[in-house]
């Protein structure tokens, strides 16, 4: 991936446009739902969620809270996945790389499946009494632990003597994905007999933003903020790394540090995102490409703008089917796959010349 | 061109052989109709293999285990066999509805199911085994028709008539007692920590609720089939009671044995604390076999549900004939 100097649009202008879009999409998302609520109620409910007003009566406050945290979780997950994608593509110097290469998605899937199995009664006696009380948090928690465990496993195997090898990391990541995919498929196959548990595992693998809470939003915000904090530490270095490892070292880049910081940031962001929203495909792959086409390939703008565009992308992908088809018809992971793939193909076809230069 | 001709020469015998096998399948299938209403057997089947839980429930209502060659593992887990369960438990089981394990049981009749792979049906017919597919049923009247047709097929018309008559009497009894539950809005619900689901019209759960005299809140909201249901809609519907499934696996202890994860989610989620059914602990757990039943056992599911609802909501109402709300 060579560094393209030509920028199609000024980054600040694109950033301002994306912030404006976010400022529109979040309120619209909070406005859309099954319950009919007046705008005045929604505004007061949102302020109450933020501790700035007294809560609404009855179920209205809970409903506004559900919508607000869903919108913020969607925005956070989109940003985290897109940023993780930008970081991973920068480290691997490969535009086809995405966070799942680190084993994040595979580990999270396995963790979530184990939690659902435990809740489904497959765990030893007494586990459900303990886990059932916090069932809606058990699945994301186990997914998060699974994601981090998978990343650690990949990192340990890829850096046996403390020196991280990118090709080894790539191969170990692919191998782990295959192993976990096998285990996950075995779990799905075995639970086909238990249709409720099988359906719950399948639903998680489609990705979901239903019933998100303050804790879900806080989880993804934590991962996102940590990853955003890493941008100033690695953006310039990643730009220099695109010309080759030796050249970057010659220019004073600590390549090992850049890789580790970038991958840890990407892994944290992706793990937090996947654990609260399930499998959401294409955001980490497509969004950095769109930013490259809009504003060029410099990581100093690419990473920030990817986070912003990722927010807008996922929020839109969550909102559009809810507005057009109704609640619960298409999960966001499915929408992303349906829209993301063809959109990505269209981009590649329309911008063949620029893509050839990456 | 030469390569093309060589490929054609290689493919031709395969195509001829395939066509031959199709013809053989048609010949075997012509001996009987796959349609239960028109199917006839030359001799009453003595080694019946049901392919699913519902096929097993229908068959077990008419014949004993002595006329069955084996059962599907899942079918045995989900099927409600009552007092005969121990006798059926001794039968050999197969894990998946595939041709080889089923053929190994040497069946003389396989009771197929539209939900099971049609490929297996075709392979079994090809091997000379009659496969009669039990049509999908929703309500008890469709199930009663299937029982009568299956009774004719198995040479058990009298037994089928007895079962159907008993069913009619039970449905009549349900109609009498369900008046005092009229107006109660119930919601089927399932949540294992990833996403919530409910069931609207076109599901056997809906039929069970209606048979028990309850109105299905999901159907009232316009839902058809099994649908995802978020907390927001749950709060908007605010049903009088929620119907969940007890877990299929019962190793989870006393709470798990009751309503499993779905009940735990409802009771522990702070955002659902305002639901009437949660506040007043109106959560009914049906056994998994009845929660998922798709046979004449919808009547039993409605009876169990009715009893549970009465015990929970209307301790004195059944006797006094008071209205539900």
């Amino acid at each position: 991936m060579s560094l393209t100097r030509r920028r199609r649009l000024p980054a600040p202008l694109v950033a301002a446009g994306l912030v404006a879009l976010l400022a529109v999409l979040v309120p619209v998302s909070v406005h859309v739902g099954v319950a009919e609520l007046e705008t005045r109620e929604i505004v007061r409910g949102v302020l109450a969620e933020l501790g700035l007003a007294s809560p609404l009566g009855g179920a209205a406050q809970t409903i506004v809270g559900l919508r607000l945290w869903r919108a913020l979780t969607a925005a956070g997950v989109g940003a985290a996945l897109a940023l993780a994608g930008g970081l991973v593509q920068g480290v691997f110097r490969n535009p086809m790389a995405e966070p799942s290469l680190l084993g994040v998605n595979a580990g999270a899937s396995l963790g979530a499946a184990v939690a659902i199995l435990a809740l489904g009664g497959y765990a030893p006696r007494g586990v459900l009494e303990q886990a059932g009380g916090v069932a809606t948090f058990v699945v994301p928690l186990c997914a998060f632990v699974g994601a981090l465990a998978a990343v650690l496993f990949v990192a340990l195997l890829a850096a046996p003597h403390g020196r991280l090898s990118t090709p080894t990391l790539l191969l170990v990541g692919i191998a782990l994905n295959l192993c976990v995919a096998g285990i996950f498929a075995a779990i799905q196959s075995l639970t086909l007999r238990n249709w409720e548990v099988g359906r719950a595992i399948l639903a998680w693998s489609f990705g979901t933003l239903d019933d998100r809470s303050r804790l879900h939003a806080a989880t993804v915000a934590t991962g996102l903020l940590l990853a955003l904090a890493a941008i100033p530490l690695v953006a310039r270095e990643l730009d220099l790394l695109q010309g080759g490892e030796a050249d970057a070292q010659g220019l004073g880049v600590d390549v090992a540090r850049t890789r580790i910081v970038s991958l840890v940031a990407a892994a944290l962001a992706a793990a937090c995102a996947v654990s609260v929203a399930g499998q959401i495909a294409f955001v980490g792959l497509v969004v950095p490409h769109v930013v490259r086409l809009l504003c060029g390939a410099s990581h100093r703008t690419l990473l920030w703008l990817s986070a912003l565009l990722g927010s807008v992308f996922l929020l839109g992908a969550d909102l559009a089917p809810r507005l057009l088809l109704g609640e619960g018809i298409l999960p966001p992971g499915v929408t992303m796959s349906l829209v993301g793939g063809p959109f990505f193909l269209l981009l590649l076809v329309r911008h063949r010349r620029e893509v050839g230069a990456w | 061109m030469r390569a093309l001709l060589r490929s054609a020469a290689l493919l031709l015998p395969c195509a001829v052989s395939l066509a031959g096998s199709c013809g053989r399948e048609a010949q075997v299938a012509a001996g009987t109709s796959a349609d239960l209403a028109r199917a006839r057997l030359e001799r009453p089947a003595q080694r019946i293999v049901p392919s699913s839980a519902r096929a097993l429930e229908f068959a077990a209502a008419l014949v004993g285990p002595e006329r069955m060659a084996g059962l599907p593992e899942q079918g045995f887990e989900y099927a409600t066999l009552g007092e005969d369960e121990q006798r059926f438990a001794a039968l050999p089981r197969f894990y998946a509805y595939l041709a080889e394990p089923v053929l190994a049981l040497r069946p003389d009749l396989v009771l197929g199911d539209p939900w099971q792979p049609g490929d297996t049906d075709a392979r079994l017919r090809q091997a000379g085994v009659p496969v009669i597919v039990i049509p999908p049923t929703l309500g008890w009247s469709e199930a009663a028709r299937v029982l009568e047709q299956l009774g004719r097929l198995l040479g058990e018309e009298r037994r089928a008539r007895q079962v159907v008559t008993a069913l009619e009497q039970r449905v009549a009894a349900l109609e009498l007692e369900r008046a005092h539950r009229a107006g109660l809005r119930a919601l089927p619900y399932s949540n294992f920590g990833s996403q919530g689901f409910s069931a609207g019209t076109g599901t056997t759960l809906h039929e069970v609720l209606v048979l028990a005299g309850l109105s299905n809140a999901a159907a009232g909201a316009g839902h058809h089939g099994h649908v995802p249901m978020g907390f927001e809609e749950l709060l908007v519907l605010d049903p009088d009671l929620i119907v969940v499934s007890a877990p299929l696996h019962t190793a989870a202890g006393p709470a798990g044995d009751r309503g499993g994860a779905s009940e735990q989610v409802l009771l522990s989620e702070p955002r659902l604390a305002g639901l009437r059914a949660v506040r007043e602990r109106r959560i009914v757990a049906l056994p998994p076999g009845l929660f998922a039943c798709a046979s004449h056992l919808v009547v039993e599911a409605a009876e169990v549900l009715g009893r549970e609802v009465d015990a929970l909501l209307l301790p004195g109402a059944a006797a006094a004939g008071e209205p539900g709300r």
Side-chain angles (χ1 to χ4, degrees):
Chain A
M1 184 164 37
S2 68
L3 187 64
T4 307
R5 291 282 178 200
R6 186 169 69 87
R7 288 183 181 175
R8 299 185 138 206
L9 291 170
L13 186 70
V14 173
L18 291 172
V19 169
L21 257 177
L22 260 183
V24 172
L25 285 174
V26 171
V28 172
S29 182
V30 176
H31 208 274
V32 174
V34 178
E36 284 182 20
L37 295 172
E38 287 178 20
T39 307
R40 191 167 38 85
E41 279 183 296
I42 293 173
V43 171
R44 203 184 114 193
V46 168
L47 291 173
E49 283 296 315
L50 303 172
L52 302 171
S54 57
L56 299 166
Q61 185 59 51
T62 310
I63 289 170
V64 173
L66 281 162
R67 292 184 190 175
L68 176 67
W69 300 120
R70 177 196 187 111
L72 295 181
T73 304
V77 167
L81 288 175
L83 175 55
L87 286 165
V88 171
Q89 287 172 9
V91 171
F92 285 108
R93 290 191 286 150
N94 185 334
M96 296 315 291
E98 59 171 341
S100 64
L101 275 178
L102 304 174
V104 175
N105 293 35
S109 299
L110 194 58
V114 167
I116 292 169
L117 282 177
L119 290 167
Y122 289 84
R125 185 171 284 270
V127 167
L128 183 59
E129 281 82 354
Q130 298 300 318
V134 283
T136 44
F137 300 115
V138 168
V139 175
L141 179 69
C142 290
F144 183 70
V145 171
L148 284 192
V151 171
L152 269 177
F153 182 76
V154 170
L156 284 175
L157 281 188
H161 307 295
R163 192 172 184 280
L164 193 67
S165 152
T166 310
T168 315
L169 189 72
L170 192 68
L171 289 173
V172 173
I174 291 170
L176 182 90
N177 273 315
L178 289 172
C179 294
V180 175
I183 300 170
F184 192 68
I187 290 174
Q188 282 189 306
S189 171
L190 292 169
T191 51
L192 276 180
R193 289 162 51 194
N194 192 335
W195 71 282
E196 284 204 287
V197 171
R199 183 174 63 177
I201 293 174
L202 197 64
W204 192 88
S205 68
F206 288 158
T208 179
L209 290 164
D210 278 350
D211 311 335
R212 297 306 94 174
S213 67
R214 194 185 297 261
L215 187 66
H216 294 110
T219 304
V220 74
T222 308
L224 178 61
L225 287 174
L226 287 171
L228 287 172
I231 295 179
L233 306 176
V234 298
R236 194 186 70 88
E237 287 77 358
L238 283 175
D239 281 347
L240 294 172
L241 195 60
Q242 305 314 303
E245 197 174 317
D247 286 356
Q249 273 172 337
L251 290 166
V253 174
D254 184 341
V255 175
R257 175 187 156 278
T258 303
R259 277 186 188 143
I260 289 169
V261 172
S262 302
L263 291 176
V264 167
L268 269 175
C272 290
V274 176
S275 63
V276 300
Q279 304 273 24
I280 310 258
F282 279 106
V283 181
L285 181 67
V286 173
V287 169
H289 282 285
V290 178
V291 175
R292 267 186 215 104
L293 292 170
L294 286 174
C295 303
S298 168
H299 287 83
R300 278 168 286 185
T301 50
L302 174 79
L303 297 174
W304 294 107
L305 290 180
S306 291
L308 268 175
L309 185 60
S311 287
V312 171
F313 226 59
L314 189 56
L315 204 50
D318 180 44
L319 187 59
R322 286 164 62 208
L323 278 170
L324 298 173
L325 305 171
E327 294 288 330
I329 307 282
L330 271 188
V334 176
T335 313
M336 280 311 304
S337 298
L338 284 174
V339 177
F343 182 61
F344 190 38
L345 270 176
L346 185 74
L347 276 180
L348 292 180
V349 170
R350 286 192 63 180
H351 299 272
R352 268 171 290 193
R353 204 170 289 170
E354 290 100 308
V355 170
W358 290 349
Chain B
M1 189 63 188
R2 195 176 291 168
L4 196 69
L5 283 173
R6 205 162 37 222
S7 306
L10 279 170
L11 286 172
L12 196 62
C14 298
V16 169
S17 144
L18 200 65
S21 70
C22 290
R24 203 160 53 240
E25 184 186 327
Q27 204 176 4
V28 172
T32 179
S33 167
D35 178 4
L36 179 62
R38 292 184 290 126
R40 294 287 177 276
L41 296 173
E42 284 174 14
R43 288 179 301 275
Q46 298 301 323
R47 295 188 62 78
I48 303 164
V49 172
S51 65
S52 66
R54 62 188 286 274
L56 172 57
E57 284 171 348
F58 278 121
L62 303 176
V63 299
E66 64 283 352
R67 283 185 64 184
M68 291 198 199
L71 313 170
E73 184 73 44
Q74 184 200 24
F76 185 73
E77 280 181 337
Y78 270 107
T80 306
L81 301 168
E83 294 164 3
D84 284 337
E85 186 168 327
Q86 286 307 315
R87 292 173 62 216
F88 281 100
L91 287 171
R93 297 183 209 169
F94 55 92
Y95 191 79
Y97 181 60
L98 297 169
E100 188 174 335
V102 174
L103 284 172
L105 298 167
R106 294 179 290 109
D108 56 5
L109 173 66
V110 170
L111 295 176
D113 192 304
W115 303 109
Q116 296 290 2
D119 280 4
T120 304
D121 293 349
R123 288 199 185 96
L124 291 170
R125 286 190 188 115
Q126 206 172 357
V129 178
V131 180
I132 309 298
V133 178
I134 294 182
T137 56
L138 273 180
W140 79 272
S141 54
E142 289 175 14
R145 194 160 51 243
V146 163
L147 279 170
E148 284 172 341
Q149 291 167 350
L150 191 60
R152 266 199 303 278
L153 180 75
L154 302 178
E156 296 285 347
E157 292 94 331
R158 214 171 131 203
R159 172 78 187 132
R161 195 58 243 158
Q162 285 172 347
V163 173
V164 170
T165 306
L167 273 179
E168 285 167 348
Q169 287 167 353
R170 287 162 69 185
V171 170
L174 271 169
E175 277 171 8
L176 280 178
E177 70 182 46
R178 73 185 179 191
H180 66 265
R181 296 183 209 118
L184 280 173
R185 291 167 60 253
L187 184 81
Y189 188 67
S190 163
N191 192 328
F192 283 74
S194 61
Q195 195 175 12
F197 288 92
S198 187
T201 50
T203 63
T204 47
L205 266 170
H206 174 74
E207 297 296 326
V208 168
L209 262 57
V210 171
L211 211 49
L214 304 164
S215 90
N216 182 354
H223 289 301
H224 182 79
H226 292 272
V227 289
M229 180 160 289
F231 288 169
E232 178 173 338
E233 191 165 12
L234 207 51
L235 289 165
V236 170
L237 294 178
D238 196 15
D240 296 313
L241 68 128
I242 297 175
V243 183
V244 298
S245 168
L248 185 62
H249 284 258
T250 53
D257 293 349
R258 251 198 55 73
S262 302
E263 186 177 26
Q264 292 288 306
V265 168
L266 289 166
L267 292 178
S268 64
E269 173 56 52
R271 291 170 292 174
L272 299 181
L275 283 175
R276 182 182 309 152
V278 172
R279 272 198 325 264
E280 299 173 19
R281 293 291 191 270
R282 293 170 167 188
I283 299 168
V284 178
L286 276 182
L290 294 180
F291 193 81
C293 78
S295 68
H296 59 289
L297 284 164
V298 288
V299 176
E300 186 171 333
E303 288 169 342
V304 171
L305 179 60
R307 280 197 297 272
E308 290 273 336
V309 171
D310 288 353
L312 204 62
L313 279 112
L314 315 154
E322 291 167 12
R325 297 177 74 190

